[in-house]
PDB file of all heavy atoms in Angstrom:
ATOM      1  N   HIS B 508     157.638 128.002 106.127  1.00 69.00           N
ATOM      2  CA  HIS B 508     157.852 128.937 105.033  1.00 69.00           C
ATOM      3  C   HIS B 508     156.624 129.745 104.682  1.00 69.00           C
ATOM      4  O   HIS B 508     156.715 130.820 104.116  1.00 69.00           O
ATOM      5  CB  HIS B 508     158.379 128.185 103.810  1.00 69.00           C
ATOM      6  CG  HIS B 508     159.863 128.062 103.844  1.00 69.00           C
ATOM      7  ND1 HIS B 508     160.600 127.606 102.788  1.00 69.00           N
ATOM      8  CD2 HIS B 508     160.756 128.344 104.822  1.00 69.00           C
ATOM      9  CE1 HIS B 508     161.873 127.602 103.110  1.00 69.00           C
ATOM     10  NE2 HIS B 508     161.988 128.040 104.335  1.00 69.00           N
ATOM     11  N   LYS B 509     155.492 129.209 105.029  1.00 71.00           N
ATOM     12  CA  LYS B 509     154.267 129.933 104.714  1.00 71.00           C
ATOM     13  C   LYS B 509     153.968 131.036 105.722  1.00 71.00           C
ATOM     14  O   LYS B 509     153.118 131.875 105.484  1.00 71.00           O
ATOM     15  CB  LYS B 509     153.087 128.955 104.755  1.00 71.00           C
ATOM     16  CG  LYS B 509     153.014 127.983 103.620  1.00 71.00           C
ATOM     17  CD  LYS B 509     151.765 127.161 103.817  1.00 71.00           C
ATOM     18  CE  LYS B 509     151.697 126.002 102.836  1.00 71.00           C
ATOM     19  NZ  LYS B 509     150.594 125.107 103.188  1.00 71.00           N
ATOM     20  N   VAL B 510     154.644 130.988 106.847  1.00 75.00           N
ATOM     21  CA  VAL B 510     154.224 131.804 107.976  1.00 75.00           C
ATOM     22  C   VAL B 510     155.030 133.096 108.061  1.00 75.00           C
ATOM     23  O   VAL B 510     156.222 133.069 108.330  1.00 75.00           O
ATOM     24  CB  VAL B 510     154.382 131.010 109.285  1.00 75.00           C
ATOM     25  CG1 VAL B 510     153.983 131.862 110.460  1.00 75.00           C
ATOM     26  CG2 VAL B 510     153.556 129.749 109.210  1.00 75.00           C
ATOM     27  N   PRO B 511     154.352 134.214 107.849  1.00 76.00           N
ATOM     28  CA  PRO B 511     155.059 135.489 107.818  1.00 76.00           C
ATOM     29  C   PRO B 511     155.879 135.768 109.079  1.00 76.00           C
ATOM     30  O   PRO B 511     156.946 136.356 108.989  1.00 76.00           O
ATOM     31  CB  PRO B 511     153.928 136.510 107.680  1.00 76.00           C
ATOM     32  CG  PRO B 511     152.831 135.757 107.018  1.00 76.00           C
ATOM     33  CD  PRO B 511     152.947 134.350 107.536  1.00 76.00           C
ATOM     34  N   ILE B 512     155.396 135.332 110.228  1.00 77.00           N
ATOM     35  CA  ILE B 512     156.127 135.710 111.439  1.00 77.00           C
ATOM     36  C   ILE B 512     157.485 135.018 111.538  1.00 77.00           C
ATOM     37  O   ILE B 512     158.334 135.428 112.306  1.00 77.00           O
ATOM     38  CB  ILE B 512     155.328 135.443 112.736  1.00 77.00           C
ATOM     39  CG1 ILE B 512     154.969 133.971 112.888  1.00 77.00           C
ATOM     40  CG2 ILE B 512     154.087 136.287 112.795  1.00 77.00           C
ATOM     41  CD1 ILE B 512     154.307 133.664 114.231  1.00 77.00           C
ATOM     42  N   PHE B 513     157.704 133.988 110.749  1.00 78.00           N
ATOM     43  CA  PHE B 513     159.004 133.319 110.760  1.00 78.00           C
ATOM     44  C   PHE B 513     159.840 133.680 109.531  1.00 78.00           C
ATOM     45  O   PHE B 513     160.913 133.119 109.310  1.00 78.00           O
ATOM     46  CB  PHE B 513     158.837 131.802 110.814  1.00 78.00           C
ATOM     47  CG  PHE B 513     158.198 131.325 112.086  1.00 78.00           C
ATOM     48  CD1 PHE B 513     157.130 130.450 112.051  1.00 78.00           C
ATOM     49  CD2 PHE B 513     158.687 131.737 113.328  1.00 78.00           C
ATOM     50  CE1 PHE B 513     156.545 130.006 113.229  1.00 78.00           C
ATOM     51  CE2 PHE B 513     158.101 131.299 114.501  1.00 78.00           C
ATOM     52  CZ  PHE B 513     157.025 130.430 114.453  1.00 78.00           C
ATOM     53  N   SER B 514     159.340 134.611 108.751  1.00 77.00           N
ATOM     54  CA  SER B 514     159.934 134.832 107.436  1.00 77.00           C
ATOM     55  C   SER B 514     161.346 135.414 107.513  1.00 77.00           C
ATOM     56  O   SER B 514     162.101 135.336 106.558  1.00 77.00           O
ATOM     57  CB  SER B 514     159.052 135.761 106.603  1.00 77.00           C
ATOM     58  OG  SER B 514     158.974 137.027 107.221  1.00 77.00           O
ATOM     59  N   THR B 515     161.697 135.992 108.652  1.00 76.00           N
ATOM     60  CA  THR B 515     163.033 136.592 108.737  1.00 76.00           C
ATOM     61  C   THR B 515     164.102 135.575 109.135  1.00 76.00           C
ATOM     62  O   THR B 515     165.283 135.885 109.098  1.00 76.00           O
ATOM     63  CB  THR B 515     163.050 137.730 109.772  1.00 76.00           C
ATOM     64  OG1 THR B 515     162.612 137.206 111.020  1.00 76.00           O
ATOM     65  CG2 THR B 515     162.159 138.875 109.337  1.00 76.00           C
ATOM     66  N   LEU B 516     163.666 134.388 109.524  1.00 76.00           N
ATOM     67  CA  LEU B 516     164.635 133.401 110.014  1.00 76.00           C
ATOM     68  C   LEU B 516     165.318 132.680 108.854  1.00 76.00           C
ATOM     69  O   LEU B 516     164.718 132.478 107.794  1.00 76.00           O
ATOM     70  CB  LEU B 516     163.933 132.372 110.904  1.00 76.00           C
ATOM     71  CG  LEU B 516     163.169 132.976 112.080  1.00 76.00           C
ATOM     72  CD1 LEU B 516     162.557 131.879 112.935  1.00 76.00           C
ATOM     73  CD2 LEU B 516     164.062 133.874 112.917  1.00 76.00           C
ATOM     74  N   ASP B 517     166.558 132.245 109.065  1.00 79.00           N
ATOM     75  CA  ASP B 517     167.242 131.513 108.000  1.00 79.00           C
ATOM     76  C   ASP B 517     166.970 130.017 108.126  1.00 79.00           C
ATOM     77  O   ASP B 517     166.343 129.546 109.064  1.00 79.00           O
ATOM     78  CB  ASP B 517     168.743 131.820 107.993  1.00 79.00           C
ATOM     79  CG  ASP B 517     169.436 131.292 109.244  1.00 79.00           C
ATOM     80  OD1 ASP B 517     168.930 130.318 109.850  1.00 79.00           O
ATOM     81  OD2 ASP B 517     170.467 131.859 109.622  1.00 79.00           O
ATOM     82  N   LYS B 518     167.471 129.257 107.174  1.00 78.00           N
ATOM     83  CA  LYS B 518     167.115 127.855 107.058  1.00 78.00           C
ATOM     84  C   LYS B 518     167.467 127.037 108.297  1.00 78.00           C
ATOM     85  O   LYS B 518     166.707 126.180 108.731  1.00 78.00           O
ATOM     86  CB  LYS B 518     167.810 127.256 105.829  1.00 78.00           C
ATOM     87  CG  LYS B 518     166.799 126.722 104.822  1.00 78.00           C
ATOM     88  CD  LYS B 518     167.484 126.094 103.633  1.00 78.00           C
ATOM     89  CE  LYS B 518     166.455 125.376 102.768  1.00 78.00           C
ATOM     90  NZ  LYS B 518     167.027 124.811 101.559  1.00 78.00           N
ATOM     91  N   ASP B 519     168.627 127.312 108.866  1.00 80.00           N
ATOM     92  CA  ASP B 519     169.054 126.544 110.034  1.00 80.00           C
ATOM     93  C   ASP B 519     168.135 126.784 111.216  1.00 80.00           C
ATOM     94  O   ASP B 519     167.731 125.850 111.913  1.00 80.00           O
ATOM     95  CB  ASP B 519     170.496 126.926 110.414  1.00 80.00           C
ATOM     96  CG  ASP B 519     171.509 126.207 109.532  1.00 80.00           C
ATOM     97  OD1 ASP B 519     171.080 125.301 108.781  1.00 80.00           O
ATOM     98  OD2 ASP B 519     172.695 126.554 109.596  1.00 80.00           O
ATOM     99  N   ASP B 520     167.813 128.068 111.434  1.00 78.00           N
ATOM    100  CA  ASP B 520     166.925 128.394 112.548  1.00 78.00           C
ATOM    101  C   ASP B 520     165.562 127.735 112.353  1.00 78.00           C
ATOM    102  O   ASP B 520     164.973 127.187 113.277  1.00 78.00           O
ATOM    103  CB  ASP B 520     166.760 129.911 112.658  1.00 78.00           C
ATOM    104  CG  ASP B 520     168.030 130.575 113.181  1.00 78.00           C
ATOM    105  OD1 ASP B 520     168.771 129.901 113.917  1.00 78.00           O
ATOM    106  OD2 ASP B 520     168.273 131.745 112.846  1.00 78.00           O
ATOM    107  N   LEU B 521     165.097 127.792 111.107  1.00 78.00           N
ATOM    108  CA  LEU B 521     163.806 127.190 110.814  1.00 78.00           C
ATOM    109  C   LEU B 521     163.830 125.708 111.162  1.00 78.00           C
ATOM    110  O   LEU B 521     162.907 125.179 111.774  1.00 78.00           O
ATOM    111  CB  LEU B 521     163.472 127.359 109.328  1.00 78.00           C
ATOM    112  CG  LEU B 521     162.887 128.708 108.922  1.00 78.00           C
ATOM    113  CD1 LEU B 521     162.622 128.737 107.427  1.00 78.00           C
ATOM    114  CD2 LEU B 521     161.598 128.979 109.692  1.00 78.00           C
ATOM    115  N   ARG B 522     164.929 125.052 110.807  1.00 78.00           N
ATOM    116  CA  ARG B 522     165.017 123.622 111.025  1.00 78.00           C
ATOM    117  C   ARG B 522     164.935 123.297 112.519  1.00 78.00           C
ATOM    118  O   ARG B 522     164.291 122.341 112.925  1.00 78.00           O
ATOM    119  CB  ARG B 522     166.312 123.072 110.421  1.00 78.00           C
ATOM    120  CG  ARG B 522     166.169 121.675 109.818  1.00 78.00           C
ATOM    121  CD  ARG B 522     167.458 121.220 109.162  1.00 78.00           C
ATOM    122  NE  ARG B 522     167.827 122.066 108.023  1.00 78.00           N
ATOM    123  CZ  ARG B 522     167.339 121.894 106.780  1.00 78.00           C
ATOM    124  NH1 ARG B 522     166.494 120.909 106.539  1.00 78.00           N
ATOM    125  NH2 ARG B 522     167.714 122.681 105.802  1.00 78.00           N
TER     126      ARG B 522
END
Side-chain angles (χ1 to χ4, degrees):
Chain B
H508 273 190
K509 288 182 189 171
V510 179
I512 60 174
F513 295 130
S514 63
T515 56
L516 304 182
D517 66 26
K518 240 182 171 177
D519 279 350
D520 288 332
L521 278 179
R522 216 177 296 276

